[in-house]
């Protein structure tokens, strides 16, 4: 399989997600802390479900989604 | 810009005047109030920025303000979603850099 980009914001590839799961990540925040997937501008809106399914496929365990944290969209410091 | 991807039907029914704006310093035309990304696409510009991590071209992906792939610097404000921002006369759009924020 081609090594596609899973997290388009941070440029994290399929192989990097798999590597972080092999390293022990059992939920989306674990992957996020290892390779920044889901930490870009869209805040995991695009990649979170994919990462979740990859974790469930690799570990065979249900993986919780990350909690939404404020601010839910990137905002300018001047607007806060 | 010679390219024009607007439907002929839309062209003939549109009596509105086209307005000028700039993309990376180049003058392009579009209709007032349409999304900036749509105006750019109609002129044949699909690459709005390049990926900070892989340097690949990036443009409209979801088109509904969800993914931030079409973000650009609009009138000095960095990381504006061009698919969600209405075009107005003289708007200055430029490909924004992911790690460098100007005028914000």
């Amino acid at each position: 399989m081609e090594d596609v980009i899973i997290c388009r914001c941070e440029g994290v590839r399929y192989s990097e997600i798999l590597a972080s799961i092999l390293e022990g990540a059992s939920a989306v925040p674990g992957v996020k802390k290892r390779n920044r997937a889901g930490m870009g501008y869209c805040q995991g809106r695009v990649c979170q479900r994919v990462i979740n399914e990859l974790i469930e496929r690799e570990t065979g365990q249900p993986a919780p989604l990350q909690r939404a944290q404020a601010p839910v969209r990137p905002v300018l410091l001047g607007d806060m | 810009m010679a390219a024009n991807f607007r439907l002929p039907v839309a062209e003939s029914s549109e009596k509105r005047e086209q307005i000028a704006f700039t993309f990376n310093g180049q003058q392009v035309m579009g209709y007032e109030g349409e999304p900036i990304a749509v105006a750019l696409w109609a002129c044949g510009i699909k690459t709005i920025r390049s990926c900070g991590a892989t340097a690949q071209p990036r443009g409209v992906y979801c088109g509904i303000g969800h993914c931030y792939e079409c973000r650009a610097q609009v009138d000095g404000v960095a990381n504006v979603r061009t698919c969600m921002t209405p075009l107005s006369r003289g708007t200055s759009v430029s490909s924004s850099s992911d790690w460098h924020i100007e005028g914000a």
Side-chain angles (χ1 to χ4, degrees):
Chain A
M1 179 179 170
E2 196 195 339
D3 199 9
V4 294
I5 292 180
I6 302 290
C7 170
R8 295 170 65 88
C9 299
E10 293 289 338
V12 183
R13 294 180 180 277
Y14 177 69
S15 61
E16 296 172 69
I17 306 280
L18 286 187
S20 61
I21 296 170
L22 280 177
E23 210 182 287
S26 59
V28 172
V31 174
K32 179 172 167 174
K33 282 163 190 159
R34 284 172 173 84
N35 58 26
R36 294 193 60 84
M39 290 187 88
Y41 278 92
C42 84
Q43 289 289 294
R45 279 181 188 77
V46 177
C47 65
Q48 181 174 183
R49 294 279 169 185
V50 179
I51 295 171
N52 214 51
E53 287 188 16
L54 286 175
I55 296 169
E56 291 185 352
R57 191 191 73 188
E58 295 301 313
T59 64
Q61 302 288 324
L65 292 174
Q66 64 182 352
R67 285 174 297 135
Q69 289 177 328
V72 293
R73 281 187 191 284
V75 292
L76 296 177
L77 285 173
D79 292 340
M80 290 176 81
Chain B
M1 252 349 240
N4 180 2
F5 291 95
R6 291 188 193 274
L7 294 172
V9 176
E11 288 281 87
S12 59
S13 63
E14 285 284 0
K15 294 296 178 219
R16 285 182 299 164
E17 167 202 14
Q18 289 212 320
I19 56 165
F21 68 108
T22 60
F23 177 68
N24 289 339
Q26 172 192 30
Q27 181 173 306
V28 278
M29 304 297 283
Y31 291 112
E32 185 153 27
E34 72 181 351
I36 293 169
V38 169
L40 289 173
W41 202 334
C43 297
I45 300 169
K46 291 186 192 170
T47 304
I48 294 175
R49 61 182 186 92
S50 56
C51 177
T54 66
Q56 290 172 321
R58 289 285 185 265
V60 176
Y61 182 54
C62 76
I64 54 170
H66 179 85
C67 72
Y68 283 81
E69 286 289 285
C70 65
R71 63 183 180 266
Q73 184 172 314
V74 177
D75 287 336
V77 182
N79 304 313
V80 171
R81 289 169 291 173
T82 57
C83 71
M84 299 288 282
T85 309
L87 179 65
S88 54
R89 190 182 298 271
T91 299
S92 166
V93 184
S94 59
S95 304
S96 58
S97 160
D98 280 290
W99 321 116
H100 177 65
I101 296 177
E102 286 175 73

